[in-house]
Amino acid sequence: MRNLQIEALFGGVLALVVIAVAVYAVANTSISGAGHTAERPIEAVPIETHADLRPLTLASTEDADLVCECYDKAFSLAAATSVLSSDYRTGFEQCRARAGVNGGDAWTAGWEARLHSRPYEASCKAYKRKRS
């Protein structure tokens, strides 16, 4: 008899918790349109960048090798910040946009050369020789 009372007590508490969670979920869900949840508008967040990176001044494609410029910028920036910084992401995206896949690869190679202290890969010329 006593076991039935304990089971009824725990069952009642469990039911109250389930109901409370359901009420909380319904109260915090806003619905708009055809069953889609409303999204908050995306706010512009200023990006803090390293002085060496902003703006990423790459010469025009005709007179400069964008791949080497990306390599060199990443190599110099790697000494000052981490790969998780917005500087790394911004520089990589800019190089990728301006010089294509090769620019992004060069950015990564320059960063890795500095990060892993590889003196034999410390220049864009060495990087290009290694790739070909």
Side-chain angles (χ1 to χ4, degrees), residues 9-126:
L9 177 68
F10 282 117
V13 170
L14 180 61
L16 287 175
V17 169
V18 169
I19 291 172
V21 168
V23 168
Y24 178 78
V26 169
N28 287 328
T29 303
S30 60
I31 299 175
S32 67
H36 295 108
T37 58
E39 296 179 7
R40 290 185 292 157
I42 297 173
E43 299 176 15
V45 177
I47 297 175
E48 297 177 18
T49 57
H50 188 268
D52 186 38
L53 180 63
R54 181 172 231 161
L56 184 60
T57 53
L58 300 176
S60 67
T61 313
E62 300 87 50
D63 25 299
D65 187 1
L66 294 177
V67 171
C68 278
E69 289 202 33
C70 288
Y71 183 95
D72 294 338
K73 289 283 186 184
F75 187 83
S76 65
L77 183 64
T81 188
S82 78
V83 74
L84 299 176
S85 72
S86 62
D87 297 335
Y88 176 87
R89 184 177 53 254
T90 302
F92 176 81
E93 290 172 356
Q94 288 177 351
C95 281
R96 183 81 186 251
R98 298 278 312 272
V101 174
N102 292 335
D105 290 347
W107 177 271
T108 303
W111 186 276
E112 291 292 320
R114 170 63 72 114
L115 192 65
H116 297 294
S117 301
R118 297 182 194 147
Y120 55 89
E121 292 180 12
S123 71
C124 186
K125 286 182 181 181

